[in-house]
Amino acid sequence: MPIQLTSQAYCKMLLHAAKYPHCAVNGLLIAEKPKDKKKESQNHTVLCVDCVPLFHGTLALAPMLEVALTLIDTWCKENNYVISGYYQANERTKDSRLNQFAEKVAARISDNFNEAAIVMVDNSRLTISCFEPIVIIYDHHENKWKSREVTVDAFEDWHEAQKITSALLESRCYENLIDFDNHLDDLRNDWTNPVINKSVLDLC
Amino acid sequence: MASVSEMYDVGWEEMRDKLRKWREDNFRNSEQIVDVGEELICEHASKLGDDVWIIYEQVMIAALDCRRDDLALTCLQELRKQFPDSHRVKRLTGMRLEALERYEEANKHYDAILQEDPTNTAARKRKISILKAQGKSAEAIRELNEYLEHLCHYCCWKCQFILALFLETLCANILLYNFHSYGKAAFCLEELMMTNPHNHLYCEQYAEVKYTQGGLENLELSRKYFAQALRLNNRNMRALFGLYMSASHIAASPKVSAKVKKDNVKYAAWAASQINRAYKLAGRGTKENKCSVKAVEEMLESMQITMS
């Protein structure tokens, strides 16, 4: 059913958007693989424990997206994760509309995971203090993507998420965030972002 | 807060050189430019000689990115004093108005430049950027097309600019598969490749657009251009992955002859071995990267199954 975001997932999304303020950015949401097949169909919240930042700038070209999806899917399988959603921040500040590109990617993800969600970042409300959640979450109902009201329930622990994101934005941690584009530029760049993950853990 | 020179133990010459490198590479690392540039201007302006003016321009633009209107205005005023009738400075005045979202006034400045100098491409580019910022992508593209038709030859920035616009419009479009837009993007890249035959990035981007357009013919073209990009730069990972993906898809297609299938299996196998090699080289020593290496190997293997 509805997804929930951990602090790590939320803050890495925002760090990605903050690193490239003049570009559109996108990425994948990662959840732990449900141990029980039955649980997936019950009213069971999906906890997105992490996200993988993908691209910045040009989002709409197929080949690298395919590579990323396949590679990250393989990595997920090894770590008992599953790709559970897709996030996107548009190029223009005032534009946080869901577009067909996002829907197409999410449809692809839905092939593997029924409850896939789309998270759009509302750029116009991105601030260092992060005093309110700035994401819009879309769930798939009856062949349409519908947004739902985002409250603190959409987060595993909103106050923690807010505190950590704010601290990392302030310390300009986003300069060290690695997305898949950075990885393709230099393979040594690790898109799992172990350094940032550690910073998040340290602040918990 | 510590100064840049204290934090990084650099002198003013290094700061000046860093700014030059960022200028030459066209980086948009505005926060860093403001940090370094502001200090350089405030404390070492007299040492910079004639460089100071181009630095004022660079810092001003970066300041606009960072909402530092105070700094932007300071730089602008220095430039206005020094170059009172300059079109280049007028354009900067317009850019500041754009940053403040005062688009009507900005357009007036650009129109004034174009009246005195109708060939001023910088002013035209700004006008089109305003349309883009206002979300009027279709109008922006129309203006660009018109402008192109009136020119005798294509020059680099226009093609790159149209390309970026089209690719961005694709994302925002209601119809995802707007083949018309991909076609225009391909056209721009063809022009860019003609004037820059040694640029591996254009080859690779062209290949990506063709791949995205889909269909067997486009896939084969895409494979050829990924291969060409690799010939120009054998470390272009996107080209390597692209070669692998396009060759794999062609080999898996039921419409190809046995020979074409065999050839593409060979290309894909070669690309796969190169990809594995590149990952092994990159992953030497670190535990986390070993995980990446394994993931890539598995990914390539899983695709082999679908090919046969």
Side-chain angles (χ1 to χ4, degrees):
Chain A
M1 281 321 279
I3 60 159
Q4 232 188 14
L5 301 168
T6 59
S7 306
Q8 181 161 304
Y10 183 69
C11 93
K12 278 159 80 172
M13 265 195 280
L14 264 57
L15 287 174
H16 195 201
K19 186 180 181 190
Y20 299 106
H22 55 285
C23 294
V25 300
N26 66 356
L28 300 174
L29 295 169
I30 309 286
E32 276 171 355
K33 200 174 174 104
K35 297 192 178 75
D36 199 333
K37 257 294 171 178
K38 276 190 236 152
K39 263 202 174 147
E40 218 181 295
S41 47
Q42 284 170 6
N43 254 352
H44 167 75
T45 325
V46 173
L47 184 63
C48 291
V49 297
D50 201 357
C51 72
V52 177
L54 286 180
F55 305 109
H56 55 270
T58 305
L59 306 183
L61 291 177
M64 297 309 125
L65 180 60
E66 257 186 70
V67 171
L69 281 170
T70 318
L71 193 55
I72 293 165
D73 194 50
T74 312
W75 173 81
C76 279
K77 289 198 171 83
E78 278 169 29
N79 293 281
N80 235 8
Y81 288 142
V82 68
I83 299 177
S84 57
Y86 169 79
Y87 75 83
Q88 185 171 304
N90 291 330
E91 183 177 351
R92 290 173 48 234
T93 323
K94 299 192 176 142
D95 177 16
S96 55
R97 287 167 308 168
L98 181 62
N99 57 29
Q100 280 239 337
F101 180 72
E103 292 186 21
K104 273 283 175 189
V105 181
R108 185 89 187 257
I109 296 173
S110 297
D111 285 344
N112 252 355
F113 187 77
N114 283 330
E115 318 294 346
I118 302 179
V119 175
M120 296 296 293
V121 178
D122 185 353
N123 297 315
S124 63
R125 292 187 290 155
L126 179 57
T127 62
I128 290 191
S129 54
C130 301
F131 54 86
E132 51 169 2
I134 62 164
V135 288
I136 309 165
I137 304 182
Y138 292 83
D139 305 300
H140 207 207
H141 283 309
E142 295 153 15
N143 267 340
K144 279 204 276 259
W145 289 96
K146 295 211 181 101
S147 67
R148 73 170 129 108
E149 197 197 339
V150 172
T151 61
V152 296
D153 290 333
F155 297 86
E156 191 190 26
D157 181 343
W158 165 244
H159 290 292
E160 183 190 73
Q162 186 259 336
K163 185 184 72 167
I164 294 177
T165 308
S166 177
L168 293 181
L169 281 174
E170 178 127 29
S171 57
R172 294 216 214 158
C173 234
Y174 46 81
E175 287 172 3
N176 304 319
L177 183 93
I178 307 285
D179 64 10
F180 203 74
D181 259 333
N182 301 138
H183 174 72
L184 291 172
D185 290 334
D186 183 340
L187 292 185
R188 292 166 299 180
N189 287 329
D190 190 346
W191 44 263
T192 61
N193 285 287
V195 176
I196 300 219
N197 291 344
K198 182 161 187 307
S199 304
V200 171
L201 223 57
D202 286 342
L203 286 167
C204 273
Chain B
M1 218 186 110
S3 68
V4 170
S5 48
E6 281 167 21
M7 272 204 287
Y8 299 99
D9 194 20
V10 289
W12 68 269
E13 294 106 327
E14 281 145 303
M15 290 165 70
R16 176 203 59 193
D17 293 342
K18 233 352 193 253
L19 281 178
R20 183 191 302 131
K21 181 165 193 305
W22 290 334
R23 248 185 347 259
E24 286 168 5
D25 291 340
N26 225 348
F27 282 172
R28 197 170 168 172
N29 53 337
S30 300
E31 279 181 300
Q32 290 176 307
I33 294 175
V34 163
D35 282 345
V36 173
E38 186 172 23
E39 194 172 306
L40 202 59
I41 294 172
C42 289
E43 301 185 16
H44 306 284
S46 49
K47 304 187 190 94
L48 295 169
D50 277 334
D51 271 351
V52 74
W53 309 114
I54 203 159
I55 290 177
Y56 272 129
E57 184 185 43
Q58 182 183 12
V59 173
M60 190 222 149
I61 295 174
L64 291 179
D65 256 351
C66 298
R67 267 244 165 122
R68 286 286 313 274
D69 195 44
D70 56 319
L71 181 58
L73 209 47
T74 308
C75 296
L76 190 54
Q77 281 162 346
E78 290 298 317
L79 287 166
R80 275 192 197 137
K81 262 194 295 190
Q82 183 69 10
F83 307 100
D85 293 312
S86 154
H87 279 167
R88 189 162 163 176
V89 174
K90 224 189 180 88
R91 168 190 149 239
L92 291 175
T93 307
M95 281 177 83
R96 179 176 165 262
L97 290 167
E98 281 185 64
L100 297 169
E101 291 184 83
R102 286 151 61 177
Y103 296 123
E104 290 299 311
E105 291 174 63
N107 264 324
K108 285 207 181 87
H109 275 85
Y110 301 138
D111 287 334
I113 298 175
L114 287 168
Q115 258 204 330
E116 290 178 25
D117 176 13
T119 67
N120 189 306
T121 49
R124 229 170 258 283
K125 183 179 178 185
R126 290 322 312 165
K127 284 182 68 78
I128 293 170
S129 297
I130 290 179
L131 288 170
K132 192 177 167 212
Q134 293 173 312
K136 300 179 182 166
S137 303
E139 248 183 270
I141 294 175
R142 211 172 19 244
E143 294 265 328
L144 269 170
N145 274 329
E146 267 181 44
Y147 186 47
L148 269 181
E149 279 169 46
H150 288 125
L151 282 168
C152 312
H153 57 265
Y154 300 105
C155 85
C156 214
W157 76 257
K158 268 180 288 297
C159 279
Q160 280 195 304
F161 195 50
I162 309 174
L163 174 67
L165 246 179
F166 284 138
L167 293 176
E168 186 245 68
T169 316
L170 282 171
C171 261
N173 256 345
I174 297 173
L175 300 161
L176 174 68
Y177 290 116
N178 188 338
F179 291 112
H180 195 49
S181 285
Y182 282 118
K184 285 218 166 94
F187 166 73
C188 293
L189 281 160
E190 282 162 16
E191 292 293 321
L192 286 167
M193 285 194 294
M194 257 205 311
T195 47
N196 303 271
H198 298 296
N199 187 317
H200 64 106
L201 295 171
Y202 293 147
C203 265
E204 181 255 298
Q205 265 203 307
Y206 182 69
E208 285 199 57
V209 173
K210 283 291 154 195
Y211 184 109
T212 310
Q213 282 179 298
L216 192 54
E217 217 176 288
N218 283 326
L219 266 180
E220 296 198 298
L221 211 54
S222 127
R223 194 210 64 230
K224 290 194 178 118
Y225 278 91
F226 278 129
Q228 177 62 8
L230 275 171
R231 258 178 239 120
L232 293 169
N233 179 345
N234 61 7
R235 281 158 46 185
N236 185 327
M237 273 319 287
R238 287 182 181 78
L240 200 47
F241 269 119
L243 176 60
Y244 177 76
M245 301 293 284
S246 50
S248 303
H249 281 306
I250 296 171
S253 164
K255 300 186 203 158
V256 298
S257 69
K259 175 161 192 328
V260 171
K261 185 183 173 107
K262 191 160 163 241
D263 285 342
N264 280 281
V265 168
K266 235 183 359 177
Y267 301 141
W270 178 85
S273 70
Q274 294 297 305
I275 294 172
N276 271 322
R277 187 163 154 267
Y279 269 91
K280 286 208 168 74
L281 268 168
R284 267 208 294 250
T286 57
K287 176 174 172 285
E288 287 91 17
N289 271 326
K290 283 200 167 62
C291 179
S292 238
V293 172
K294 189 153 175 279
V296 171
E297 273 177 7
E298 287 198 22
M299 167 197 139
L300 295 171
E301 267 177 44
S302 71
M303 288 203 70
Q304 295 268 15
I305 300 173
T306 59
M307 255 162 53
S308 49

